[in-house]
Amino acid sequence: MRALVWHGTEDIRCDTVPDPKIEDERDAIIKVTTCAICGSDLHLYDHVMPGMEKGDVMGHEFMGEVVEMGKGVNGALRKGERIVVPFTIICGECDQCKRGYFSVCERSNRNKHVADKVFGHTTAGLFGYTHLTGGYQGGQAEYVRVPFADKTHIKVPEHLSDEQVLFLGDIFPTGWQAAVQADIQPTDTVAIWGAGPVGQMTLRSALLLGAKQVVCIDSVPERLEMARAGGAITIDNAQESVVESLNELTSCKGPEKCIDAVGMEAHSPRALEHAYDRLKQAVMLESDRAAVLREMIYVCRPAGIISIPGVYGGLVDKLPMGALMNKGLTIRTGQTHVNRWTDDLVKRIDDGQIDPSFVITHRVRLDQGPEMYKTFRDKKDNCIKVVLRP
């Protein structure tokens, strides 16, 4: 089969690789009909996330048709059934899964011993996302093996298109969880850093959850335009002071809720701060750039909540703990507990409250994927979200 394969920094190729096979009785094989490039994939493309190996198949946003199952699936799926596959692999039986904390499933990371050493405790296995999370082959391919397939799936109505439901596997529930864990109230101003795909889903989720106003911060014109179309007030942080703009919008009190939809590769508009972070990375004294985290802690209203759906992989430097503690801020973060939210989100799509396909700007064949990684990373050709067809 064909798949997008990691060969090193900025080196993704469309290769011919062996077809996946059933390895466990709870496995299923999915014929991929639609997949996407996620912002988190760019961390692998740039090789700022550890644990990648040459030959790894990329991708964790995908859906398709069930073509084969192990006997342990026990009727949970049938051949020909159309499903979305969440990026988090879940057993459905451990203590964390029973509590709905699916992204920290205790059993699905087959490299648990490595994750235990790096993070203190293992988190869930993830598709196409480093050997720290199991080294599972990803979904930017013609076929995928889905472990624990009796639990690791989302059933979708046949009358909804692939593009309407594809993002149930990651960015839509990620944006939704980011907003939910901010505990949004009707009087809240919610500030979101990053107007990429997750930021776009987050701002719409915040409005669906009743925020008084949502402010989206970015510097890419087409992303800011899409955010305004979704109902957000926008701040171009390349042209405006974020602190001054948020003070003006909140009578100098600051937003009650701040959400980081950027993550580890944040760019600071302040040249010295950005140069400092890049230098610390170059000499391996930090792995992640904390520019957004610092700014959120500074501007958030005292007793407010900071929500972090943006991915971080290692260490940050110069985090203002004094401001965080003295202002009484609450931080909530984590990979997304996808299956906790999807029943509700499927209904919201079906009811017409939201059509997540609005975020798609590029539709290409799978073999065009390598060039689209660079286009997406460099924000060229007005690219916000890329969908691939195997």
Side-chain angles (χ1 to χ4, degrees):
M1 70 170 186
R2 296 179 307 160
L4 298 189
V5 176
W6 191 88
H7 285 270
T9 305
E10 298 183 350
D11 188 0
I12 305 293
R13 306 176 197 173
C14 187
D15 291 344
T16 298
V17 301
D19 290 349
K21 298 179 179 179
I22 297 292
E23 299 177 17
D24 181 88
E25 64 179 13
R26 293 178 68 182
D27 286 354
I29 304 298
I30 306 299
K31 180 181 180 181
V32 178
T33 55
T34 311
C35 55
I37 301 175
C38 182
S40 299
D41 292 327
L42 297 182
H43 304 323
L44 310 182
Y45 180 69
D46 291 332
H47 204 189
V48 295
M49 180 71 78
M52 292 299 289
E53 296 181 6
K54 185 176 180 179
D56 288 344
V57 176
M58 299 287 291
H60 58 267
E61 287 186 295
F62 61 97
M63 64 177 296
E65 179 183 314
V66 179
V67 294
E68 188 178 354
M69 296 165 292
K71 62 182 181 180
V73 174
N74 286 330
L77 296 173
R78 54 181 173 77
K79 287 187 179 180
E81 193 164 23
R82 179 167 159 264
I83 61 171
V84 175
V85 180
F87 76 96
T88 47
I89 301 168
I90 63 172
C91 74
E93 298 169 347
C94 69
D95 289 344
Q96 297 285 24
C97 284
K98 288 177 180 177
R99 298 166 68 196
Y101 299 143
F102 298 114
S103 72
V104 288
C105 172
E106 296 170 323
R107 296 176 56 193
S108 62
N109 187 346
R110 59 187 178 183
N111 291 334
K112 177 182 182 300
H113 64 288
V114 179
D116 281 343
K117 291 179 181 178
V118 174
F119 297 132
H121 298 86
T122 190
T123 56
L126 307 180
F127 288 101
Y129 212 76
T130 91
H131 290 260
L132 283 175
T133 55
Y136 291 99
Q137 301 298 282
Q140 291 168 6
E142 293 181 306
Y143 294 89
V144 182
R145 180 179 75 93
V146 179
F148 299 104
D150 53 319
K151 299 297 181 181
T152 304
H153 69 265
I154 303 161
K155 295 187 178 183
V156 292
E158 287 297 323
H159 61 272
L160 295 177
S161 70
D162 274 20
E163 290 187 355
Q164 286 178 288
V165 297
L166 172 63
F167 303 131
L168 287 165
D170 183 359
I171 61 171
F172 187 17
T174 293
W176 185 261
Q177 178 172 303
V180 168
Q181 67 189 12
D183 189 23
I184 292 170
Q185 302 300 311
T187 55
D188 283 348
T189 293
V190 179
I192 300 167
W193 277 255
V198 169
Q200 299 290 341
M201 297 297 172
T202 304
L203 79 86
R204 287 159 176 80
S205 297
L207 289 169
L208 284 171
L209 289 167
K212 181 180 72 174
Q213 63 179 354
V214 175
V215 184
C216 206
I217 301 149
D218 206 299
S219 61
V220 181
E222 55 269 21
R223 290 183 173 191
L224 293 170
E225 182 181 353
M226 184 178 282
R228 287 191 291 272
I233 301 165
T234 59
I235 297 173
D236 182 344
N237 66 347
Q239 306 294 330
E240 312 168 59
S241 164
V242 174
V243 175
E244 291 177 5
S245 297
L246 286 175
N247 279 337
E248 183 177 343
L249 289 166
T250 61
S251 302
C252 291
K253 293 183 177 180
E256 288 90 350
K257 309 296 164 58
C258 295
I259 300 176
D260 174 4
V262 179
M264 65 194 299
E265 292 189 83
H267 286 73
S268 172
R270 294 169 290 279
L272 286 176
E273 180 182 14
H274 192 63
Y276 171 86
D277 279 331
R278 294 307 297 263
L279 177 61
K280 295 284 283 193
Q281 284 183 305
V283 296
M284 301 182 71
L285 292 176
E286 74 170 350
S287 56
D288 306 355
R289 300 194 293 266
V292 167
L293 294 176
R294 297 181 193 118
E295 192 162 66
M296 289 199 307
I297 290 169
Y298 186 76
V299 303
C300 190
R301 183 176 298 194
I305 294 175
I306 289 174
S307 174
I308 308 174
V311 172
Y312 288 86
L315 302 174
V316 299
D317 193 32
K318 295 292 186 290
L319 200 66
M321 287 302 299
L324 177 69
M325 181 272 171
N326 284 286
K327 291 173 73 173
L329 303 180
T330 297
I331 292 181
R332 293 175 179 160
T333 187
Q335 296 280 11
T336 310
H337 308 305
V338 175
N339 293 75
R340 178 188 287 192
W341 314 113
T342 47
D343 287 349
D344 178 35
L345 298 183
V346 168
K347 187 174 187 304
R348 289 177 184 272
I349 295 170
D350 206 13
D351 289 347
Q353 295 181 39
I354 185 171
D355 180 352
S357 66
F358 77 87
V359 79
I360 302 170
T361 55
H362 291 66
R363 299 168 174 87
V364 301
R365 302 186 312 272
L366 184 68
D367 61 6
Q368 295 174 278
E371 62 195 76
M372 291 310 303
Y373 262 87
K374 181 172 175 56
T375 299
F376 183 31
R377 194 275 307 275
D378 295 342
K379 304 175 180 66
K380 301 294 186 182
D381 194 30
N382 298 328
C383 184
I384 297 177
K385 188 66 177 179
V386 180
V387 163
L388 306 168
R389 301 280 185 179

